[in-house]
Amino acid sequence: MARIENLNLSQQVTNELGKAIINGHYTAETGLPTEAKLCEEYGISRTAVREAVKMLAAKGLISSRPRQGIRVEPANTWNLYDTSVLKWLLESSPTLYVLKEFLQVRLAIEPQAAALAAKRADKDAIAEIAVALEKMQAAADAPDGEIHEADLAFHTAILFASGNRFFFQLRDFIRTALNVSIQHTTPAKGSKKAIADEHFKVYQAILNGEAERAKNMMTYMIDEAMSFIEKEIAEKESQNASK
């Protein structure tokens, strides 16, 4: 293990240990190395190690109790809404299964957010959706246009336009997972123009105050992404079964 030399030592150790826990390198059975061992391995002070332990505990990955030491917690205690935890999880091997769960969450949230945005009809908020859509359309029309960031901005703008503070609080969670999801679904869709057109239908329904149509259009878009992910999962499972 290379020694860490950046100023933000604790965050780097948190990142390394978090990934190791999620990848199964450290488990409830194996536990974490001792403070002394971690200090030696990373070339940092006990203070930096202890700060990293606090950060991991806050994310639900470990617990630290008097006379019990540091314990690695099971996956069902991890805070998946923490964007670092979600990012580490999406970088681990079962990415497609995580994305499927994420799409299920999106189906529960984003269609309703689109419907609320249509009902609320906040002109300024809808204008932000339009800005993101225009960037998507421009990217779709350009041979080497990058639609990715504009796509993320579009979905974030709808969460804000819903007027629901709880939905908007999920923006970083949605962006983090959507960032990975798009990398799978965009190539499967095969056409940036088709992607922009689908997003336009959602925007148009919101702009026209058609709450039910906005909800249905968003549901359709996420359902389609689910189909791509499920197909990819089936193909991988078939390949594994034939080995």
Side-chain angles (χ1 to χ4, degrees), residues 3-149:
R3 289 178 171 250
I4 295 175
E5 296 177 355
N6 194 288
L7 289 175
N8 203 341
L9 303 176
S10 297
Q11 285 191 347
Q12 289 197 45
V13 176
T14 302
N15 193 52
E16 292 292 325
L17 291 177
K19 287 180 181 178
I21 291 169
I22 284 174
N23 286 321
H25 184 69
Y26 298 124
T27 66
E29 288 72 34
T30 65
L32 283 180
T34 62
E35 274 189 10
K37 181 67 176 174
L38 289 171
C39 290
E40 180 184 343
E41 190 171 343
Y42 290 101
I44 60 175
S45 68
R46 283 182 181 267
T47 301
V49 167
R50 287 169 185 166
E51 188 61 32
V53 166
K54 287 180 184 177
M55 290 182 193
L56 290 170
K59 297 174 188 298
L61 270 64
I62 64 172
S63 60
S64 180
R65 297 182 180 91
R67 294 189 296 278
Q68 290 184 16
I70 301 169
R71 187 176 72 179
V72 176
E73 292 293 324
N76 60 7
T77 71
W78 300 346
N79 179 10
L80 302 184
Y81 290 103
D82 183 296
T83 53
S84 294
V85 175
L86 183 60
K87 183 172 180 288
W88 299 332
L89 199 60
L90 289 167
E91 290 172 353
S92 67
S93 52
T95 301
L96 291 172
Y97 299 97
V98 177
L99 285 178
K100 183 176 178 178
E101 288 183 278
F102 164 65
L103 287 168
Q104 290 167 346
V105 173
R106 286 186 65 197
L107 276 170
I109 294 170
E110 291 193 72
Q112 186 63 28
L116 287 172
K119 289 178 181 177
R120 184 166 173 251
D122 182 310
K123 291 182 180 179
D124 290 339
I126 292 174
E128 287 302 311
I129 303 173
V131 169
L133 177 65
E134 286 167 7
K135 290 179 180 177
M136 287 187 74
Q137 291 171 327
D141 291 336
D144 299 317
E146 177 51 65
I147 204 168
H148 194 94
E149 278 300 320

Side-chain angles (χ1 to χ4, degrees), residues 96 99-100 102-103 106 147-148 151 155 177-192 194-195 198-199 221-232:
L96 291 172
L99 285 178
K100 183 176 178 178
F102 164 65
L103 287 168
R106 286 186 65 197
I147 204 168
H148 194 94
D151 197 342
H155 290 275
L178 192 58
N179 192 41
V180 177
S181 179
I182 286 172
Q183 294 171 31
H184 287 264
T185 56
T186 298
K189 187 72 178 176
S191 166
K192 291 184 293 184
I195 293 168
E198 285 183 355
H199 284 69
M221 202 157 58
I222 301 171
D223 268 335
E224 187 178 43
M226 180 73 83
S227 296
F228 292 142
I229 295 298
E230 287 180 336
K231 182 182 178 183
E232 200 170 338

